[in-house]
Amino acid sequence: MSAVSPMTEATTEALPSTMQAIVAREPGDASVLVLAERPVPQPRPGEVLLRVLAAGINRPDIMQRQGIAKPAPGVTDVLGLEVCGEVVACGPGVDTALRGTRRMALVPGGGYAPWCVAAVDHSFAVPARLTDAEAAALPEGLFTVWHNLFELGRLTMGETVLIHGVTGGIGSLAVQMAHAAGCTVIATASDEACFAELKAMGADLAICWPTTDFVQACLDFTGGRGVDVVLDIVGGDYVRRNLQAMAFGGRHVSLSFMQGSAVTVELLTLMQRQLSLHSSTMRPQTHAEKTRMAQAIARHVLPLLASGRIAPRLHARLPLAQAAQAHTLLESGQVFGKLVLEP
């Protein structure tokens, strides 16, 4: 039997001292994911301890499992970057009125577990209309889309954006957020079966990239002008092609590089057409930067979630113990929306 941690002023229940959480026993494929015993984390100043109700799965989790990306020093080896949970304890400096409330949070790790700590500054009250699974599917996407599309990409009302990878959790959220911002949205996907739903989300044009030249389709749709912003997850030769589809002064934002991180760019093209390249990852952002983003998201995006104008699309919910199966499914490329783990 696990030892029980003593009750404290910040705790509403006696908690076990250890828990079973998902870690990668070594770098490798999904089979290296195992349940392992880890300490139940304790909230530090500015943090809350969440009883995890659901945890979202993201490609950075896969990169961590593969050994490509590693947690920052001092961060748990338990996977998981976004959760929805009930606040069961508050660290020093956190209003204890939060106890018993639902929060959705971006975390540096630890989500694939029954308990997880989160910085209160990087969390949001869950809108009442959202289920636990829906709330867990949002934080990574909210921070990523807001920062990359609207801050780095400077997408504004009336502009046109090309979004690749729209069947993923981030892509499908980006379509909705761009549409809500009053932008024209061009989306690429491999299966026309999802086009009707993409258009319901706000896509003005859906392109089947295996059968259609997306560059020519973008130019035709915009009357030869091109798109103002590209949100890309493909990398490789797609970057060159994306630049061909862009308007004068366009901004290219890279989120990932499924076809490779090494690209060749003609600088003269950038100079003559005043194009710019941007990219970012969320994990290295400072606490202050994430706090600033969270405040902007709370102002501009949370009301859209509360009203239902934006909503995550869930592909499947799986038990925590099936994390390996969930990773395999995500890597198959057959996922439309988000995968969520539930303890």
Side-chain angles (χ1 to χ4, degrees), residues 102-140:
R102 286 193 308 160
R103 307 286 294 184
M104 53 186 187
L106 181 73
V107 295
Y112 293 11
W115 289 276
C116 177
V117 289
V120 71
D121 288 342
H122 304 161
S123 70
F124 310 97
V126 177
R129 69 181 303 122
L130 294 180
T131 66
D132 298 334
E134 289 172 330
L138 283 167
E140 177 77 10

PDB file of all heavy atoms in Angstrom, residues 102-140:
ATOM      1  N   ARG A 102     -12.281  23.155 -12.190  1.00  0.00           N
ATOM      2  CA  ARG A 102     -11.613  22.528 -13.341  1.00  0.00           C
ATOM      3  C   ARG A 102     -10.710  23.548 -14.028  1.00  0.00           C
ATOM      4  O   ARG A 102     -11.132  24.686 -14.274  1.00  0.00           O
ATOM      5  CB  ARG A 102     -12.630  22.016 -14.360  1.00  0.00           C
ATOM      6  CG  ARG A 102     -13.378  20.759 -13.977  1.00  0.00           C
ATOM      7  CD  ARG A 102     -14.113  20.171 -15.184  1.00  0.00           C
ATOM      8  NE  ARG A 102     -14.958  21.142 -15.864  1.00  0.00           N
ATOM      9  CZ  ARG A 102     -15.394  21.025 -17.121  1.00  0.00           C
ATOM     10  NH1 ARG A 102     -15.032  19.979 -17.847  1.00  0.00           N
ATOM     11  NH2 ARG A 102     -16.176  21.943 -17.658  1.00  0.00           N
ATOM     12  N   ARG A 103      -9.472  23.129 -14.340  1.00  0.00           N
ATOM     13  CA  ARG A 103      -8.537  23.968 -15.073  1.00  0.00           C
ATOM     14  C   ARG A 103      -7.989  23.169 -16.249  1.00  0.00           C
ATOM     15  O   ARG A 103      -7.785  21.950 -16.150  1.00  0.00           O
ATOM     16  CB  ARG A 103      -7.359  24.410 -14.196  1.00  0.00           C
ATOM     17  CG  ARG A 103      -7.712  25.057 -12.885  1.00  0.00           C
ATOM     18  CD  ARG A 103      -8.230  26.450 -13.028  1.00  0.00           C
ATOM     19  NE  ARG A 103      -7.244  27.398 -13.521  1.00  0.00           N
ATOM     20  CZ  ARG A 103      -7.480  28.718 -13.655  1.00  0.00           C
ATOM     21  NH1 ARG A 103      -8.665  29.210 -13.344  1.00  0.00           N
ATOM     22  NH2 ARG A 103      -6.545  29.529 -14.104  1.00  0.00           N
ATOM     23  N   MET A 104      -7.760  23.831 -17.350  1.00  0.00           N
ATOM     24  CA  MET A 104      -7.023  23.218 -18.460  1.00  0.00           C
ATOM     25  C   MET A 104      -5.697  23.942 -18.545  1.00  0.00           C
ATOM     26  O   MET A 104      -5.641  25.172 -18.455  1.00  0.00           O
ATOM     27  CB  MET A 104      -7.802  23.291 -19.777  1.00  0.00           C
ATOM     28  CG  MET A 104      -8.299  24.647 -20.188  1.00  0.00           C
ATOM     29  SD  MET A 104      -9.343  24.516 -21.675  1.00  0.00           S
ATOM     30  CE  MET A 104      -9.608  26.260 -22.058  1.00  0.00           C
ATOM     31  N   ALA A 105      -4.614  23.175 -18.701  1.00  0.00           N
ATOM     32  CA  ALA A 105      -3.296  23.774 -18.522  1.00  0.00           C
ATOM     33  C   ALA A 105      -2.283  23.252 -19.519  1.00  0.00           C
ATOM     34  O   ALA A 105      -2.302  22.072 -19.901  1.00  0.00           O
ATOM     35  CB  ALA A 105      -2.799  23.501 -17.105  1.00  0.00           C
ATOM     36  N   LEU A 106      -1.391  24.145 -19.907  1.00  0.00           N
ATOM     37  CA  LEU A 106      -0.176  23.774 -20.627  1.00  0.00           C
ATOM     38  C   LEU A 106       0.882  23.477 -19.575  1.00  0.00           C
ATOM     39  O   LEU A 106       1.127  24.287 -18.689  1.00  0.00           O
ATOM     40  CB  LEU A 106       0.292  24.933 -21.514  1.00  0.00           C
ATOM     41  CG  LEU A 106       1.554  24.684 -22.346  1.00  0.00           C
ATOM     42  CD1 LEU A 106       1.260  23.742 -23.507  1.00  0.00           C
ATOM     43  CD2 LEU A 106       2.106  26.013 -22.876  1.00  0.00           C
ATOM     44  N   VAL A 107       1.490  22.295 -19.668  1.00  0.00           N
ATOM     45  CA  VAL A 107       2.480  21.891 -18.663  1.00  0.00           C
ATOM     46  C   VAL A 107       3.773  21.469 -19.366  1.00  0.00           C
ATOM     47  O   VAL A 107       3.762  21.063 -20.525  1.00  0.00           O
ATOM     48  CB  VAL A 107       1.942  20.734 -17.783  1.00  0.00           C
ATOM     49  CG1 VAL A 107       0.753  21.210 -16.966  1.00  0.00           C
ATOM     50  CG2 VAL A 107       1.567  19.515 -18.618  1.00  0.00           C
ATOM     51  N   PRO A 108       4.916  21.562 -18.678  1.00  0.00           N
ATOM     52  CA  PRO A 108       6.190  21.171 -19.288  1.00  0.00           C
ATOM     53  C   PRO A 108       6.386  19.668 -19.350  1.00  0.00           C
ATOM     54  O   PRO A 108       7.333  19.178 -19.960  1.00  0.00           O
ATOM     55  CB  PRO A 108       7.229  21.824 -18.367  1.00  0.00           C
ATOM     56  CG  PRO A 108       6.545  21.927 -17.046  1.00  0.00           C
ATOM     57  CD  PRO A 108       5.112  22.182 -17.352  1.00  0.00           C
ATOM     58  N   GLY A 109       5.492  18.920 -18.733  1.00  0.00           N
ATOM     59  CA  GLY A 109       5.551  17.465 -18.699  1.00  0.00           C
ATOM     60  C   GLY A 109       4.669  16.984 -17.572  1.00  0.00           C
ATOM     61  O   GLY A 109       4.173  17.771 -16.757  1.00  0.00           O
ATOM     62  N   GLY A 110       4.418  15.659 -17.540  1.00  0.00           N
ATOM     63  CA  GLY A 110       3.693  15.095 -16.420  1.00  0.00           C
ATOM     64  C   GLY A 110       2.230  14.823 -16.634  1.00  0.00           C
ATOM     65  O   GLY A 110       1.541  14.378 -15.719  1.00  0.00           O
ATOM     66  N   GLY A 111       1.702  15.060 -17.850  1.00  0.00           N
ATOM     67  CA  GLY A 111       0.268  14.926 -18.081  1.00  0.00           C
ATOM     68  C   GLY A 111      -0.258  13.507 -18.120  1.00  0.00           C
ATOM     69  O   GLY A 111      -1.412  13.262 -17.773  1.00  0.00           O
ATOM     70  N   TYR A 112       0.581  12.546 -18.537  1.00  0.00           N
ATOM     71  CA  TYR A 112       0.118  11.160 -18.639  1.00  0.00           C
ATOM     72  C   TYR A 112       0.181  10.515 -17.251  1.00  0.00           C
ATOM     73  O   TYR A 112       0.933   9.583 -17.004  1.00  0.00           O
ATOM     74  CB  TYR A 112       1.017  10.362 -19.580  1.00  0.00           C
ATOM     75  CG  TYR A 112       1.027  10.717 -21.044  1.00  0.00           C
ATOM     76  CD1 TYR A 112       0.438  11.870 -21.547  1.00  0.00           C
ATOM     77  CD2 TYR A 112       1.652   9.868 -21.956  1.00  0.00           C
ATOM     78  CE1 TYR A 112       0.491  12.173 -22.888  1.00  0.00           C
ATOM     79  CE2 TYR A 112       1.693  10.152 -23.305  1.00  0.00           C
ATOM     80  CZ  TYR A 112       1.113  11.310 -23.773  1.00  0.00           C
ATOM     81  OH  TYR A 112       1.164  11.596 -25.115  1.00  0.00           O
ATOM     82  N   ALA A 113      -0.636  10.982 -16.348  1.00  0.00           N
ATOM     83  CA  ALA A 113      -0.546  10.544 -14.955  1.00  0.00           C
ATOM     84  C   ALA A 113      -1.848  10.877 -14.238  1.00  0.00           C
ATOM     85  O   ALA A 113      -2.645  11.694 -14.715  1.00  0.00           O
ATOM     86  CB  ALA A 113       0.622  11.229 -14.253  1.00  0.00           C
ATOM     87  N   PRO A 114      -2.085  10.279 -13.075  1.00  0.00           N
ATOM     88  CA  PRO A 114      -3.292  10.618 -12.315  1.00  0.00           C
ATOM     89  C   PRO A 114      -3.252  12.003 -11.675  1.00  0.00           C
ATOM     90  O   PRO A 114      -4.298  12.593 -11.427  1.00  0.00           O
ATOM     91  CB  PRO A 114      -3.333   9.529 -11.226  1.00  0.00           C
ATOM     92  CG  PRO A 114      -2.476   8.423 -11.733  1.00  0.00           C
ATOM     93  CD  PRO A 114      -1.394   9.101 -12.516  1.00  0.00           C
ATOM     94  N   TRP A 115      -2.029  12.505 -11.368  1.00  0.00           N
ATOM     95  CA  TRP A 115      -1.867  13.841 -10.798  1.00  0.00           C
ATOM     96  C   TRP A 115      -0.754  14.566 -11.539  1.00  0.00           C
ATOM     97  O   TRP A 115       0.238  13.957 -11.971  1.00  0.00           O
ATOM     98  CB  TRP A 115      -1.525  13.788  -9.306  1.00  0.00           C
ATOM     99  CG  TRP A 115      -2.668  13.354  -8.450  1.00  0.00           C
ATOM    100  CD1 TRP A 115      -3.692  14.129  -7.957  1.00  0.00           C
ATOM    101  CD2 TRP A 115      -2.922  12.033  -7.961  1.00  0.00           C
ATOM    102  NE1 TRP A 115      -4.544  13.374  -7.209  1.00  0.00           N
ATOM    103  CE2 TRP A 115      -4.096  12.069  -7.191  1.00  0.00           C
ATOM    104  CE3 TRP A 115      -2.253  10.802  -8.108  1.00  0.00           C
ATOM    105  CZ2 TRP A 115      -4.640  10.958  -6.580  1.00  0.00           C
ATOM    106  CZ3 TRP A 115      -2.787   9.688  -7.498  1.00  0.00           C
ATOM    107  CH2 TRP A 115      -3.970   9.767  -6.740  1.00  0.00           C
ATOM    108  N   CYS A 116      -0.917  15.871 -11.660  1.00  0.00           N
ATOM    109  CA  CYS A 116       0.052  16.674 -12.412  1.00  0.00           C
ATOM    110  C   CYS A 116       0.051  18.086 -11.839  1.00  0.00           C
ATOM    111  O   CYS A 116      -1.008  18.604 -11.466  1.00  0.00           O
ATOM    112  CB  CYS A 116      -0.348  16.700 -13.889  1.00  0.00           C
ATOM    113  SG  CYS A 116       0.679  17.728 -14.966  1.00  0.00           S
ATOM    114  N   VAL A 117       1.236  18.705 -11.763  1.00  0.00           N
ATOM    115  CA  VAL A 117       1.293  20.104 -11.332  1.00  0.00           C
ATOM    116  C   VAL A 117       1.292  21.007 -12.557  1.00  0.00           C
ATOM    117  O   VAL A 117       1.783  20.642 -13.630  1.00  0.00           O
ATOM    118  CB  VAL A 117       2.532  20.395 -10.460  1.00  0.00           C
ATOM    119  CG1 VAL A 117       2.405  19.747  -9.108  1.00  0.00           C
ATOM    120  CG2 VAL A 117       3.812  19.983 -11.156  1.00  0.00           C
ATOM    121  N   ALA A 118       0.722  22.191 -12.382  1.00  0.00           N
ATOM    122  CA  ALA A 118       0.657  23.170 -13.468  1.00  0.00           C
ATOM    123  C   ALA A 118       0.834  24.556 -12.896  1.00  0.00           C
ATOM    124  O   ALA A 118       0.365  24.861 -11.786  1.00  0.00           O
ATOM    125  CB  ALA A 118      -0.685  23.080 -14.196  1.00  0.00           C
ATOM    126  N   ALA A 119       1.512  25.420 -13.652  1.00  0.00           N
ATOM    127  CA  ALA A 119       1.599  26.834 -13.270  1.00  0.00           C
ATOM    128  C   ALA A 119       0.218  27.446 -13.447  1.00  0.00           C
ATOM    129  O   ALA A 119      -0.392  27.333 -14.517  1.00  0.00           O
ATOM    130  CB  ALA A 119       2.617  27.550 -14.148  1.00  0.00           C
ATOM    131  N   VAL A 120      -0.285  28.083 -12.411  1.00  0.00           N
ATOM    132  CA  VAL A 120      -1.624  28.659 -12.520  1.00  0.00           C
ATOM    133  C   VAL A 120      -1.656  29.720 -13.611  1.00  0.00           C
ATOM    134  O   VAL A 120      -2.693  29.924 -14.270  1.00  0.00           O
ATOM    135  CB  VAL A 120      -2.083  29.215 -11.152  1.00  0.00           C
ATOM    136  CG1 VAL A 120      -1.312  30.475 -10.767  1.00  0.00           C
ATOM    137  CG2 VAL A 120      -3.581  29.469 -11.141  1.00  0.00           C
ATOM    138  N   ASP A 121      -0.531  30.386 -13.863  1.00  0.00           N
ATOM    139  CA  ASP A 121      -0.464  31.411 -14.905  1.00  0.00           C
ATOM    140  C   ASP A 121      -0.580  30.828 -16.315  1.00  0.00           C
ATOM    141  O   ASP A 121      -0.817  31.574 -17.269  1.00  0.00           O
ATOM    142  CB  ASP A 121       0.858  32.173 -14.813  1.00  0.00           C
ATOM    143  CG  ASP A 121       0.923  33.100 -13.616  1.00  0.00           C
ATOM    144  OD1 ASP A 121      -0.149  33.420 -13.052  1.00  0.00           O
ATOM    145  OD2 ASP A 121       2.035  33.501 -13.234  1.00  0.00           O
ATOM    146  N   HIS A 122      -0.379  29.514 -16.459  1.00  0.00           N
ATOM    147  CA  HIS A 122      -0.452  28.863 -17.769  1.00  0.00           C
ATOM    148  C   HIS A 122      -1.685  27.980 -17.877  1.00  0.00           C
ATOM    149  O   HIS A 122      -1.714  27.039 -18.677  1.00  0.00           O
ATOM    150  CB  HIS A 122       0.821  28.036 -18.019  1.00  0.00           C
ATOM    151  CG  HIS A 122       2.069  28.825 -17.906  1.00  0.00           C
ATOM    152  ND1 HIS A 122       3.308  28.248 -17.708  1.00  0.00           N
ATOM    153  CD2 HIS A 122       2.295  30.171 -17.949  1.00  0.00           C
ATOM    154  CE1 HIS A 122       4.233  29.196 -17.631  1.00  0.00           C
ATOM    155  NE2 HIS A 122       3.643  30.372 -17.776  1.00  0.00           N
ATOM    156  N   SER A 123      -2.682  28.293 -17.068  1.00  0.00           N
ATOM    157  CA  SER A 123      -3.906  27.497 -17.070  1.00  0.00           C
ATOM    158  C   SER A 123      -5.112  28.403 -17.200  1.00  0.00           C
ATOM    159  O   SER A 123      -5.025  29.621 -17.014  1.00  0.00           O
ATOM    160  CB  SER A 123      -3.997  26.666 -15.776  1.00  0.00           C
ATOM    161  OG  SER A 123      -4.238  27.505 -14.654  1.00  0.00           O
ATOM    162  N   PHE A 124      -6.240  27.792 -17.525  1.00  0.00           N
ATOM    163  CA  PHE A 124      -7.480  28.533 -17.729  1.00  0.00           C
ATOM    164  C   PHE A 124      -8.622  27.807 -17.029  1.00  0.00           C
ATOM    165  O   PHE A 124      -8.645  26.567 -16.975  1.00  0.00           O
ATOM    166  CB  PHE A 124      -7.832  28.632 -19.219  1.00  0.00           C
ATOM    167  CG  PHE A 124      -6.719  29.109 -20.099  1.00  0.00           C
ATOM    168  CD1 PHE A 124      -5.921  28.196 -20.789  1.00  0.00           C
ATOM    169  CD2 PHE A 124      -6.453  30.460 -20.250  1.00  0.00           C
ATOM    170  CE1 PHE A 124      -4.891  28.626 -21.603  1.00  0.00           C
ATOM    171  CE2 PHE A 124      -5.419  30.899 -21.063  1.00  0.00           C
ATOM    172  CZ  PHE A 124      -4.630  29.978 -21.741  1.00  0.00           C
ATOM    173  N   ALA A 125      -9.581  28.561 -16.555  1.00  0.00           N
ATOM    174  CA  ALA A 125     -10.824  27.948 -16.102  1.00  0.00           C
ATOM    175  C   ALA A 125     -11.504  27.306 -17.305  1.00  0.00           C
ATOM    176  O   ALA A 125     -11.551  27.895 -18.396  1.00  0.00           O
ATOM    177  CB  ALA A 125     -11.732  29.009 -15.483  1.00  0.00           C
ATOM    178  N   VAL A 126     -12.020  26.106 -17.127  1.00  0.00           N
ATOM    179  CA  VAL A 126     -12.634  25.389 -18.241  1.00  0.00           C
ATOM    180  C   VAL A 126     -14.037  25.932 -18.482  1.00  0.00           C
ATOM    181  O   VAL A 126     -14.867  25.935 -17.562  1.00  0.00           O
ATOM    182  CB  VAL A 126     -12.704  23.877 -17.957  1.00  0.00           C
ATOM    183  CG1 VAL A 126     -13.415  23.150 -19.098  1.00  0.00           C
ATOM    184  CG2 VAL A 126     -11.310  23.310 -17.737  1.00  0.00           C
ATOM    185  N   PRO A 127     -14.337  26.404 -19.695  1.00  0.00           N
ATOM    186  CA  PRO A 127     -15.706  26.832 -19.992  1.00  0.00           C
ATOM    187  C   PRO A 127     -16.692  25.701 -19.725  1.00  0.00           C
ATOM    188  O   PRO A 127     -16.412  24.529 -20.016  1.00  0.00           O
ATOM    189  CB  PRO A 127     -15.649  27.185 -21.486  1.00  0.00           C
ATOM    190  CG  PRO A 127     -14.215  27.549 -21.729  1.00  0.00           C
ATOM    191  CD  PRO A 127     -13.426  26.633 -20.839  1.00  0.00           C
ATOM    192  N   ALA A 128     -17.838  26.034 -19.186  1.00  0.00           N
ATOM    193  CA  ALA A 128     -18.801  25.029 -18.738  1.00  0.00           C
ATOM    194  C   ALA A 128     -19.247  24.109 -19.863  1.00  0.00           C
ATOM    195  O   ALA A 128     -19.548  22.932 -19.625  1.00  0.00           O
ATOM    196  CB  ALA A 128     -20.004  25.724 -18.107  1.00  0.00           C
ATOM    197  N   ARG A 129     -19.279  24.604 -21.084  1.00  0.00           N
ATOM    198  CA  ARG A 129     -19.788  23.794 -22.183  1.00  0.00           C
ATOM    199  C   ARG A 129     -18.806  22.696 -22.609  1.00  0.00           C
ATOM    200  O   ARG A 129     -19.169  21.795 -23.364  1.00  0.00           O
ATOM    201  CB  ARG A 129     -20.125  24.679 -23.378  1.00  0.00           C
ATOM    202  CG  ARG A 129     -18.939  25.304 -24.074  1.00  0.00           C
ATOM    203  CD  ARG A 129     -19.367  26.192 -25.250  1.00  0.00           C
ATOM    204  NE  ARG A 129     -20.150  25.487 -26.231  1.00  0.00           N
ATOM    205  CZ  ARG A 129     -21.379  25.827 -26.620  1.00  0.00           C
ATOM    206  NH1 ARG A 129     -21.957  26.886 -26.073  1.00  0.00           N
ATOM    207  NH2 ARG A 129     -22.021  25.143 -27.536  1.00  0.00           N
ATOM    208  N   LEU A 130     -17.545  22.760 -22.163  1.00  0.00           N
ATOM    209  CA  LEU A 130     -16.543  21.788 -22.593  1.00  0.00           C
ATOM    210  C   LEU A 130     -16.495  20.590 -21.662  1.00  0.00           C
ATOM    211  O   LEU A 130     -16.522  20.730 -20.438  1.00  0.00           O
ATOM    212  CB  LEU A 130     -15.155  22.431 -22.639  1.00  0.00           C
ATOM    213  CG  LEU A 130     -14.914  23.534 -23.669  1.00  0.00           C
ATOM    214  CD1 LEU A 130     -13.485  24.048 -23.544  1.00  0.00           C
ATOM    215  CD2 LEU A 130     -15.178  23.037 -25.090  1.00  0.00           C
ATOM    216  N   THR A 131     -16.396  19.391 -22.235  1.00  0.00           N
ATOM    217  CA  THR A 131     -16.158  18.196 -21.441  1.00  0.00           C
ATOM    218  C   THR A 131     -14.697  18.173 -20.998  1.00  0.00           C
ATOM    219  O   THR A 131     -13.862  18.946 -21.487  1.00  0.00           O
ATOM    220  CB  THR A 131     -16.443  16.932 -22.260  1.00  0.00           C
ATOM    221  OG1 THR A 131     -15.486  16.832 -23.324  1.00  0.00           O
ATOM    222  CG2 THR A 131     -17.852  16.954 -22.844  1.00  0.00           C
ATOM    223  N   ASP A 132     -14.383  17.269 -20.079  1.00  0.00           N
ATOM    224  CA  ASP A 132     -12.998  17.146 -19.627  1.00  0.00           C
ATOM    225  C   ASP A 132     -12.079  16.800 -20.805  1.00  0.00           C
ATOM    226  O   ASP A 132     -10.982  17.365 -20.926  1.00  0.00           O
ATOM    227  CB  ASP A 132     -12.886  16.051 -18.558  1.00  0.00           C
ATOM    228  CG  ASP A 132     -13.704  16.364 -17.315  1.00  0.00           C
ATOM    229  OD1 ASP A 132     -13.956  17.551 -17.045  1.00  0.00           O
ATOM    230  OD2 ASP A 132     -14.081  15.405 -16.618  1.00  0.00           O
ATOM    231  N   ALA A 133     -12.505  15.878 -21.648  1.00  0.00           N
ATOM    232  CA  ALA A 133     -11.679  15.463 -22.785  1.00  0.00           C
ATOM    233  C   ALA A 133     -11.474  16.609 -23.766  1.00  0.00           C
ATOM    234  O   ALA A 133     -10.374  16.808 -24.291  1.00  0.00           O
ATOM    235  CB  ALA A 133     -12.319  14.263 -23.485  1.00  0.00           C
ATOM    236  N   GLU A 134     -12.524  17.375 -24.029  1.00  0.00           N
ATOM    237  CA  GLU A 134     -12.402  18.514 -24.942  1.00  0.00           C
ATOM    238  C   GLU A 134     -11.435  19.549 -24.377  1.00  0.00           C
ATOM    239  O   GLU A 134     -10.605  20.106 -25.107  1.00  0.00           O
ATOM    240  CB  GLU A 134     -13.770  19.139 -25.183  1.00  0.00           C
ATOM    241  CG  GLU A 134     -14.693  18.291 -26.040  1.00  0.00           C
ATOM    242  CD  GLU A 134     -16.103  18.858 -26.104  1.00  0.00           C
ATOM    243  OE1 GLU A 134     -16.535  19.505 -25.115  1.00  0.00           O
ATOM    244  OE2 GLU A 134     -16.773  18.648 -27.125  1.00  0.00           O
ATOM    245  N   ALA A 135     -11.535  19.811 -23.084  1.00  0.00           N
ATOM    246  CA  ALA A 135     -10.648  20.802 -22.459  1.00  0.00           C
ATOM    247  C   ALA A 135      -9.196  20.349 -22.516  1.00  0.00           C
ATOM    248  O   ALA A 135      -8.287  21.158 -22.751  1.00  0.00           O
ATOM    249  CB  ALA A 135     -11.073  21.047 -21.017  1.00  0.00           C
ATOM    250  N   ALA A 136      -8.949  19.041 -22.310  1.00  0.00           N
ATOM    251  CA  ALA A 136      -7.581  18.524 -22.358  1.00  0.00           C
ATOM    252  C   ALA A 136      -6.988  18.604 -23.746  1.00  0.00           C
ATOM    253  O   ALA A 136      -5.766  18.621 -23.906  1.00  0.00           O
ATOM    254  CB  ALA A 136      -7.561  17.079 -21.866  1.00  0.00           C
ATOM    255  N   ALA A 137      -7.832  18.650 -24.763  1.00  0.00           N
ATOM    256  CA  ALA A 137      -7.369  18.691 -26.150  1.00  0.00           C
ATOM    257  C   ALA A 137      -6.957  20.074 -26.614  1.00  0.00           C
ATOM    258  O   ALA A 137      -6.491  20.226 -27.747  1.00  0.00           O
ATOM    259  CB  ALA A 137      -8.482  18.158 -27.068  1.00  0.00           C
ATOM    260  N   LEU A 138      -7.066  21.089 -25.755  1.00  0.00           N
ATOM    261  CA  LEU A 138      -6.917  22.465 -26.207  1.00  0.00           C
ATOM    262  C   LEU A 138      -5.611  23.194 -25.867  1.00  0.00           C
ATOM    263  O   LEU A 138      -5.115  23.952 -26.713  1.00  0.00           O
ATOM    264  CB  LEU A 138      -8.083  23.307 -25.658  1.00  0.00           C
ATOM    265  CG  LEU A 138      -9.413  23.129 -26.385  1.00  0.00           C
ATOM    266  CD1 LEU A 138     -10.549  23.739 -25.568  1.00  0.00           C
ATOM    267  CD2 LEU A 138      -9.337  23.760 -27.773  1.00  0.00           C
ATOM    268  N   PRO A 139      -5.038  23.074 -24.673  1.00  0.00           N
ATOM    269  CA  PRO A 139      -3.978  24.022 -24.290  1.00  0.00           C
ATOM    270  C   PRO A 139      -2.800  24.109 -25.242  1.00  0.00           C
ATOM    271  O   PRO A 139      -2.390  25.220 -25.623  1.00  0.00           O
ATOM    272  CB  PRO A 139      -3.552  23.514 -22.904  1.00  0.00           C
ATOM    273  CG  PRO A 139      -4.776  22.876 -22.354  1.00  0.00           C
ATOM    274  CD  PRO A 139      -5.421  22.211 -23.532  1.00  0.00           C
ATOM    275  N   GLU A 140      -2.216  22.989 -25.634  1.00  0.00           N
ATOM    276  CA  GLU A 140      -1.058  23.042 -26.544  1.00  0.00           C
ATOM    277  C   GLU A 140      -1.428  23.739 -27.839  1.00  0.00           C
ATOM    278  O   GLU A 140      -0.679  24.560 -28.367  1.00  0.00           O
ATOM    279  CB  GLU A 140      -0.546  21.630 -26.812  1.00  0.00           C
ATOM    280  CG  GLU A 140       0.603  21.560 -27.811  1.00  0.00           C
ATOM    281  CD  GLU A 140       1.947  21.973 -27.241  1.00  0.00           C
ATOM    282  OE1 GLU A 140       2.060  22.144 -26.014  1.00  0.00           O
ATOM    283  OE2 GLU A 140       2.895  22.132 -28.027  1.00  0.00           O
TER     284      GLU A 140
END
